[in-house]
Amino acid sequence: MSDNHPLIIETKNLTKLFPISGHAQLTACDNINLNLYRGMTLGIVGESGCGKSTFLRMLLQMETPTSGQILFNGEDIGKFSAKQRRAHHRRIQMVFQDPGEAFHPRMRVGEIVCEPLLNYKLLKRGQIPEKAEKLLELVELPAEYIRKYPHELSGGQRQRIGIARALALEPEVIICDEATSALDVSVQKTVIELLCRLQKDKNIAIGFVCHDIALVQSFSHRIAIMYLGCIIELMESIGMAEEAKHPYTRALLDSVFDLSMDFNKEIQIIKGETPSPMDRPPGCPFANRCTRCEEICLKEKPALREIAPAHRVACHLL
Ligand code: SF4
């Protein structure tokens, strides 16, 4: 993207099929081409079951792609040896929706944030207090919290601990999977501000998956909209409210609640159900719900094409 924001992750035609009974297959991700850049946030928006979590799991090597590639700093991670994979895991870390569930209830905060370093033998037990205090300082929590247990913390504090733990190995990429969805709106804001500050300080690439388009748009640099395993629109978040073109993205944006909205304007509800990923339509994945659907939409799947600089849309009418 630029010298300040070099490309760090590039996915090429990344596809994941899950075999179901007999010859049936579930297409979770269909030919996904997305890039992550250092110091920038890519927001990935889509409803439950659209394939965004499977996409993340492939980035984290928790799922093996059926086809396609993931390049990390230009290297194909699918070709890594076991030793290279272990080294690679340090470079990309995850922040979960409810980190409290990922923490051992009998471990104190100091051990929780330092556990990745202990696992990689980068820290001795006696060094935990000093290192844990530094990690807590990064996420703006007092040093004395290293002696607390997870159940003694609020949701926002637990999420800060999750971020501190993700930072322990000094990753180049952080993936946030619905990382603020379980938090109150006021706490969400402070956690997002923290992520933005850390990104600036450490030039980390962030992939932020969320179903709330308004939230993602507020701090991401670019947004990818996913539907039925496909990227249907990819654009910069600045100007998105005016410039988004795909009928599904437009429907998502039009349904965002805003105090300054025109309450007399009818909210466009997306009618119909998302097709099953086991029985995908041959044409546009959004065809059965799209008010602008034409004959070609039922027959041919639209390609994700550039319609303006840094703006791609998969729709036959554009
Ligand atoms: S390709 Fe056709 S069905 Fe799909 S979003 Fe565009 S107009 Fe609607």
Side-chain angles (χ1 to χ4, degrees), residues 53-67:
S53 293
T54 304
F55 176 70
L56 294 188
R57 289 174 65 82
M58 287 193 281
L59 293 187
L60 291 153
Q61 294 192 299
M62 293 158 78
E63 285 295 350
T64 307
T66 307
S67 59

Side-chain angles (χ1 to χ4, degrees), residues 246-248 284-288 290-294 296-297 300 302 314-317:
H246 194 283
Y248 178 62
C284 171
F286 191 57
N288 70 321
C290 182
T291 51
R292 300 174 64 191
C293 181
E294 296 191 358
I296 187 174
C297 309
E300 278 180 36
C315 176
H316 287 303
L317 303 192

Side-chain angles (χ1 to χ4, degrees), residues 40-43 180 192-193 195-196 199 206 208 210 212 214-223 237:
M40 300 194 82
T41 300
L42 171 68
T180 57
I192 297 288
E193 283 170 355
L195 281 170
C196 293
Q199 178 176 58
I206 296 180
F208 195 97
C210 188
D212 182 343
L215 176 77
V216 176
Q217 197 193 346
S218 69
F219 68 94
S220 296
H221 298 92
R222 294 179 308 128
I223 311 245
S237 60

